[in-house]
Amino acid sequence: MSLLCHMTESILYSWWTEVQMGPPDPILGVTEAFKRDTNPKKMNLGVGAYRDDQGKPFVLSCVRKAEAQIAAKKLDKEYLPIGGLAEFSKACAQLALGPDNEVLKSGRNITVQTISGTGSLRVGANFVSRFHNASRDVYLPKPSWGNHTPIFRDAGMQLKAYSYYDPKTCGFDFKGALDDISKIPEKSVIVLHACAHNPTGVDPRPEQWKEMAALIKKRNLLVFFDMAYQGFASGDIDRDAWAVRYFIEQGHNVLLSQSFAKNMGLYGERVGGFTVVCKDAEEAKRVESQLKILIRPIYSNPPMNGARIASTILNTPELYKEWLVEVKDMADRIIKMREMLVSNLKKEGSTQNWQHVTDQIGMFCFTGLKPEQVERLIKEFSIYMTKDGRISVAGVTSANVGYLAHAIHAVTK
Amino acid sequence: MALLKTSKFICSVGSLRPSLATLPIRASSWWTEVQMGPPDPILGVTEAYKRDTNSKKMNLGVGAYRDDNGKPYVLSCVRKAEALITSKMLDKEYMPIGGLGDFNKACAELALGPDSEVLKSKRSITVQTISGTGSLRIGANFLTRFHTVARDVYLPKPSWGNHTPIFRDAGMQLKAYRYYDPATCGFDFTGALDDISKIPEHSVIMLHACAHNPTGVDPRPEQWKELSAVIKKRKLLVFFDMAYQGFASGDIDRDAWAVRYFIEQGHNVLLSQSFAKNMGLYGERVGGFTVVCADAEEAKRVESQLKILIRPIYSNPPMNGARIASTILSTPELRSTWLEEVKGMADRIIKMREMLVTNLKKEGSTHNWQHVIDQIGMFCFTGLKPEQVERLTKEFSVYMTKDGRISVAGVTSGNVGYLAHAIHQVTK
């Protein structure tokens, strides 16, 4: 009797009968299949995190030093303000805009610490949804980072797209982009990847950025920059931030998301920033007050540890210098792997045009491989990547690049 | 004229600038209509406190524990855990979307008890969250998306201020049930039962597991039993907010009693946990969100949907605090130390309550201050009226929120006498 009662109660109180099993994460699926594979030559090229030349996760030495400094101070763990650690937010904005930027001097930006890049984008999406009443539409490049879509959609925006990647050239579809952008309704939001476009690795050249800035201004669009790879793309933090700074100089009052996951290797510490460039300091104050009202019922205030590390690095001259060297080294290793992959492909006798592998920039490379070729790479060579042919160059090492070239040649010759 | 036209074109978005004679260097303002938001009420208290030059000033707005010297307190078990973690030279790779597995397991065990049938049958899912607020928001978003039978969330009256915008911004409607009785400075049990008995079926009801914020007024066990029965009868979805486990009575099992009782009675609850107070991990943002399901299969479905919900908010949670909490909970000596330290904090709070009442009596107060001792946790609803609060602030530099709520954590053996004197002055 009591068992029946218990069962009845359980059935009565099953609130979630209608909840469906969600689709498995595509990228996670790659890593899981990789883990199950017993082939000693296996390669995981789905991983979106930097690996050193031994294929190991890399904690930067400037990060370890910053941690030691912080530990020695025996700081308390009191709540940060809603907008985060002030020294971090200030340094974060300076890194993006350049320390002599007129925007910073006039105090017409507000920068809040966020939960890495995703948290920054979501705060921005929520802000736009609440206060940008002129339009519900957000235009993403085609393709864009997979998570952009649910971020903006769950925040209440509508997703649209503009041409970006040209599969014929494995490069930038400049004409297509300009054509699509010229038709975007005024006051729509347009997302631009500041550097190292994810997932294609294809970035506009400076003269192309200039034309885009002019056209976007003509169309009166609200620009939202996603900068997840400053320093990590070219190895030079100013070069990677050039597009953001150029747009601001041209009068675009942009929204900007920054992440320190890749460029400082702070992935799991969740360090990022969200900036709104305003008309003036007074507007920045109003915007700040509303950002706080928005953030407080999401997570109250951001996590302290990663922001203290990033702030220590950015604000301590020797650590800052060391960081610039380390981020350049990471970028250089990626660039070297790209070059080695192409030269090895040529050595294998491949007659395909692999120029795009070295033209593309950042962690990812859109190889141009077709789904059936990707499948062969997985099945026959235990080389794992996403179905769209995207590889994480971070997963390539001097030891396995030859094997990778051999495998790619085998499926494309 | 062409110049004017171009300016107008560029300035078309919301700019109220009348003069278009000069071609503006910067594009128009997108945020002209954004109003300055109201200042945060509690922050205002701290800011006024900071400006005050009176050496006897007291900040009783602070929602964080202070030691008997009025200083922030980092637990020794936390420092030890940090040293252990540092020595392991761990990497900083992303956590899974649902957070650190070891933390989630320990977090659920702490709340439900290690022998919980729920844990044995694996019919719950616990995800690491950004402290209590992050947990509540995940829960609120999950309800909005999947609890389609009702949009209403019933909060106790009063409740923590942030509960309202959390559920509202997630898309739920806020309602209330009676809870605090200002006539007794205690629990309005009859009023609560009465209101709850009228809540439409399948609505969500929020319960503070222990150390109700802001009143400090908790139901007694026999009252919890009746609440459980009427809530079951009304078929309500229970959402427990447990931000003070261990911190309320000093005993983690006692503070979790209501949560465990409800689950035993068949309520498949939602539960938010925070380690901000009980482990002093405030700014590290450590918390958990649990859904107790019908069975393990349902738990898997719910888990998959929680991940889909979390990924576009922050992708995965911060590692540091969870590593600390997990280390403490699963390392026997550190766990013992923690239990002692959390009891130490709770005991100091209880002692300050007792000293305050003793001192009020010594001052000659004839009021009934029993509620100061009956209430539990960090906060105390003194029963002081707004004009009395204002006098306390102006004449004695004692700062608290207008509703008469004090943070007992801000009281020390060094200042409790002054506080009693001041309160007596404005209430005699």
Side-chain angles (χ1 to χ4, degrees):
Chain A
M1 188 59 196
S2 63
L3 182 64
L4 189 66
C5 285
H6 178 75
M7 281 169 63
T8 309
E9 281 164 8
S10 296
I11 292 164
L12 252 184
Y13 290 96
S14 170
W15 299 105
W16 315 115
T17 310
E18 306 305 317
V19 172
Q20 303 296 315
M21 181 64 87
D25 186 280
I27 298 180
L28 211 73
V30 169
T31 295
E32 277 165 13
F34 168 82
K35 284 184 180 159
R36 287 192 296 267
D37 194 323
T38 51
N39 184 343
K41 286 176 172 275
K42 66 182 181 177
M43 290 176 69
N44 186 358
L45 301 183
V47 68
Y50 180 79
R51 295 284 177 266
D52 64 16
D53 205 46
Q54 274 72 53
K56 297 274 175 280
F58 174 56
V59 178
L60 279 64
S61 127
C62 63
V63 167
R64 289 293 186 217
K65 289 187 173 126
E67 288 185 306
Q69 270 185 30
I70 290 162
K73 288 184 184 170
K74 296 252 163 270
L75 301 168
D76 64 37
K77 294 190 183 294
E78 295 298 291
Y79 291 125
L80 288 178
I82 299 172
L85 186 64
E87 311 93 81
F88 166 77
S89 301
K90 188 159 182 281
C92 177
Q94 277 179 1
L95 178 67
L97 307 193
D100 299 319
N101 197 293
E102 160 273 322
V103 165
L104 300 176
K105 289 190 157 91
S106 47
R108 67 182 183 95
N109 69 300
I110 171 60
T111 299
V112 291
Q113 177 194 338
T114 56
I115 301 166
S116 210
T118 302
S120 176
L121 289 160
R122 183 56 177 266
V123 166
N126 282 4
F127 185 77
V128 162
S129 189
R130 182 171 284 182
F131 293 106
H132 186 61
N133 302 311
S135 173
R136 289 294 73 185
D137 292 335
V138 176
Y139 283 76
L140 300 178
K142 206 178 345 183
S144 194
W145 180 44
N147 208 18
H148 277 149
T149 296
I151 287 170
F152 285 101
R153 189 192 57 212
D154 284 7
M157 302 299 285
Q158 299 262 59
L159 275 307
K160 301 240 160 62
Y162 58 93
S163 298
Y164 189 83
Y165 179 72
D166 185 349
K168 287 197 295 297
T169 60
C170 294
F172 183 36
D173 181 2
F174 184 43
K175 276 215 181 64
L178 288 179
D179 195 37
D180 282 356
I181 291 171
S182 69
K183 297 173 182 142
I184 294 180
E186 288 201 4
K187 305 183 199 174
S188 304
V189 179
I190 183 167
V191 172
L192 304 171
H193 295 221
C195 61
H197 180 273
N198 180 0
T200 67
V202 167
D203 285 352
R205 289 192 305 274
E207 58 270 25
Q208 293 171 323
W209 274 125
K210 288 178 176 179
E211 281 201 57
M212 289 167 70
L215 177 59
I216 288 169
K217 190 191 282 196
K218 199 162 160 204
R219 295 306 304 148
N220 204 9
L221 307 178
L222 171 50
V223 172
F224 197 148
F225 267 111
D226 183 355
M227 185 156 69
Y229 298 98
Q230 186 185 6
F232 195 90
S234 69
D236 179 328
I237 50 153
D238 296 310
R239 190 161 152 188
D240 289 348
W242 181 84
V244 172
R245 297 173 188 182
Y246 178 79
F247 269 66
I248 290 173
E249 268 166 45
Q250 293 305 304
H252 295 271
N253 284 352
V254 307
L255 304 173
L256 168 66
S257 284
Q258 289 168 264
S259 167
F260 289 85
K262 278 67 157 185
N263 62 8
M264 277 192 187
L266 291 174
Y267 305 95
E269 300 278 1
R270 317 309 289 128
V271 193
F274 175 65
T275 294
V276 183
V277 177
C278 300
K279 180 168 66 108
D280 51 39
E282 187 270 340
E283 183 167 278
K285 284 277 160 233
R286 284 184 281 113
V287 168
E288 178 183 22
S289 74
Q290 294 296 345
L291 281 171
K292 284 156 72 172
I293 288 170
L294 196 144
I295 288 170
R296 172 77 160 136
I298 306 179
Y299 53 84
S300 279
N301 45 77
M304 60 184 4
N305 200 57
R308 280 175 168 172
I309 295 171
S311 177
T312 302
I313 291 170
L314 293 172
N315 291 309
T316 311
E318 325 88 67
L319 292 185
Y320 184 71
K321 269 175 62 185
E322 187 170 357
W323 172 56
L324 292 180
V325 169
E326 291 191 282
V327 78
K328 185 174 189 314
D329 283 348
M330 289 193 285
D332 284 350
R333 195 184 89 70
I334 300 280
I335 288 166
K336 181 146 197 237
M337 290 304 105
R338 291 177 179 276
E339 290 163 359
M340 284 181 76
L341 178 56
V342 174
S343 58
N344 274 274
L345 280 161
K346 288 178 176 156
K347 267 201 285 186
E348 288 281 331
S350 179
T351 52
Q352 313 278 350
N353 179 1
W354 296 106
Q355 184 63 31
H356 55 283
V357 173
T358 41
D359 284 347
Q360 289 169 11
I361 192 169
M363 195 176 292
F364 299 111
C365 167
F366 246 32
T367 55
L369 290 166
K370 300 181 182 23
E372 50 280 11
Q373 294 168 325
V374 171
E375 185 142 356
R376 283 189 63 193
L377 280 174
I378 296 174
K379 286 195 159 37
E380 295 174 35
F381 296 93
S382 297
I383 294 173
Y384 292 82
M385 63 186 69
T386 43
K387 295 255 176 310
D388 54 10
R390 182 194 86 162
I391 61 170
S392 170
V393 185
V396 182
T397 67
S398 34
N400 65 25
V401 66
Y403 177 68
L404 176 61
H406 175 77
I408 290 177
H409 177 57
V411 308
T412 56
K413 62 185 178 191
Chain B
M1 204 51 206
L3 204 66
L4 264 173
K5 270 202 188 140
T6 317
S7 320
K8 218 191 197 104
F9 188 68
I10 290 171
C11 280
S12 63
V13 180
S15 172
L16 302 171
R17 216 175 347 176
S19 157
L20 300 171
T22 44
L23 182 68
I25 296 167
R26 51 185 83 114
S28 32
S29 158
W30 297 106
W31 314 114
T32 309
E33 306 306 317
V34 172
Q35 304 295 316
M36 180 64 87
D40 185 281
I42 298 181
L43 211 74
V45 169
T46 296
E47 276 165 14
Y49 167 83
K50 283 183 182 163
R51 286 192 297 266
D52 194 321
T53 50
N54 186 343
S55 55
K56 286 177 172 273
K57 65 181 180 179
M58 290 176 69
N59 186 356
L60 301 183
V62 69
Y65 180 79
R66 294 284 177 268
D67 65 17
D68 204 45
N69 296 307
K71 298 272 174 280
Y73 171 57
V74 178
L75 279 64
S76 105
C77 63
V78 167
R79 289 294 186 219
K80 291 188 170 118
E82 287 184 306
L84 269 177
I85 290 162
T86 302
S87 66
K88 288 185 187 173
M89 285 284 141
L90 300 168
D91 62 38
K92 295 191 182 294
E93 294 298 290
Y94 291 126
M95 297 274 101
I97 299 170
L100 187 62
D102 293 338
F103 168 78
N104 294 336
K105 190 162 180 288
C107 178
E109 275 178 13
L110 179 67
L112 308 191
D115 300 320
S116 166
E117 161 272 324
V118 165
L119 297 178
K120 289 190 157 82
S121 49
K122 298 193 195 306
R123 66 181 183 92
S124 63
I125 172 61
T126 299
V127 291
Q128 178 194 338
T129 56
I130 301 166
S131 209
T133 303
S135 176
L136 289 160
R137 183 55 178 266
I138 295 298
N141 282 5
F142 186 77
L143 286 169
T144 298
R145 186 170 282 183
F146 294 106
H147 186 62
T148 46
V149 293
R151 281 293 78 155
D152 294 334
V153 176
Y154 284 76
L155 300 179
K157 207 180 338 185
S159 195
W160 180 45
N162 207 18
H163 277 147
T164 295
I166 287 171
F167 285 100
R168 190 192 54 212
D169 283 8
M172 303 295 285
Q173 300 263 58
L174 275 308
K175 300 241 161 57
Y177 59 92
R178 271 171 289 169
Y179 190 84
Y180 178 71
D181 184 351
T184 60
C185 296
F187 183 36
D188 181 2
F189 184 43
T190 310
L193 286 178
D194 193 35
D195 283 356
I196 291 172
S197 69
K198 295 171 182 145
I199 295 179
E201 288 196 358
H202 308 306
S203 304
V204 179
I205 182 167
M206 165 122 304
L207 304 170
H208 295 221
C210 59
H212 180 272
N213 180 0
T215 68
V217 167
D218 286 353
R220 287 190 309 272
E222 58 271 25
Q223 293 172 324
W224 273 126
K225 288 179 177 178
E226 282 200 58
L227 287 167
S228 167
V230 82
I231 287 168
K232 190 191 284 196
K233 200 159 161 207
R234 296 305 304 147
K235 297 192 174 64
L236 307 179
L237 172 49
V238 172
F239 196 149
F240 267 110
D241 184 356
M242 184 156 70
Y244 299 98
Q245 188 186 5
F247 194 91
S249 70
D251 180 327
I252 51 157
D253 296 310
R254 188 162 155 187
D255 289 347
W257 182 84
V259 173
R260 296 175 189 182
Y261 178 79
F262 269 64
I263 290 172
E264 271 165 43
Q265 294 303 303
H267 297 271
N268 284 353
V269 307
L270 304 175
L271 168 65
S272 285
Q273 290 168 261
S274 167
F275 290 85
K277 308 344 184 247
N278 63 8
M279 278 195 187
L281 290 174
Y282 305 95
E284 300 278 0
R285 318 310 289 128
V286 193
F289 175 65
T290 296
V291 184
V292 178
C293 301
D295 51 41
E297 187 270 341
E298 183 166 274
K300 285 275 160 233
R301 283 184 281 112
V302 167
E303 179 183 21
S304 74
Q305 294 296 344
L306 281 171
K307 284 155 72 170
I308 287 171
L309 196 145
I310 288 170
R311 173 78 160 131
I313 305 179
Y314 53 83
S315 279
N316 44 79
M319 63 187 358
N320 200 57
R323 280 175 168 171
I324 294 170
S326 178
T327 302
I328 290 170
L329 291 171
S330 49
T331 310
E333 325 89 68
L334 292 187
R335 194 187 173 104
S336 294
T337 303
W338 173 57
L339 291 176
E340 281 172 25
E341 290 189 284
V342 77
K343 185 173 190 314
M345 290 192 286
D347 285 349
R348 195 186 88 69
I349 299 282
I350 289 166
K351 180 142 197 238
M352 290 303 106
R353 291 177 179 276
E354 289 163 0
M355 284 182 75
L356 178 57
V357 174
T358 307
N359 276 273
L360 279 162
K361 287 178 176 158
K362 266 201 287 189
E363 287 281 329
S365 178
T366 51
H367 290 287
N368 180 0
W369 296 106
Q370 185 59 31
H371 56 282
V372 174
I373 298 175
D374 288 346
Q375 290 168 9
I376 193 170
M378 195 176 292
F379 300 110
C380 167
F381 245 32
T382 54
L384 290 166
K385 300 181 180 28
E387 49 282 10
Q388 294 168 323
V389 170
E390 184 145 358
R391 282 190 64 196
L392 278 174
T393 304
K394 284 193 159 42
E395 295 174 35
F396 297 93
S397 297
V398 173
Y399 291 82
M400 64 185 69
T401 44
K402 296 252 178 308
D403 55 9
R405 181 194 88 163
I406 61 172
S407 170
V408 185
V411 182
T412 68
S413 33
N415 64 26
V416 65
Y418 178 70
L419 177 61
H421 175 76
I423 290 177
H424 178 55
Q425 292 310 306
V426 306
T427 56
K428 66 184 179 185

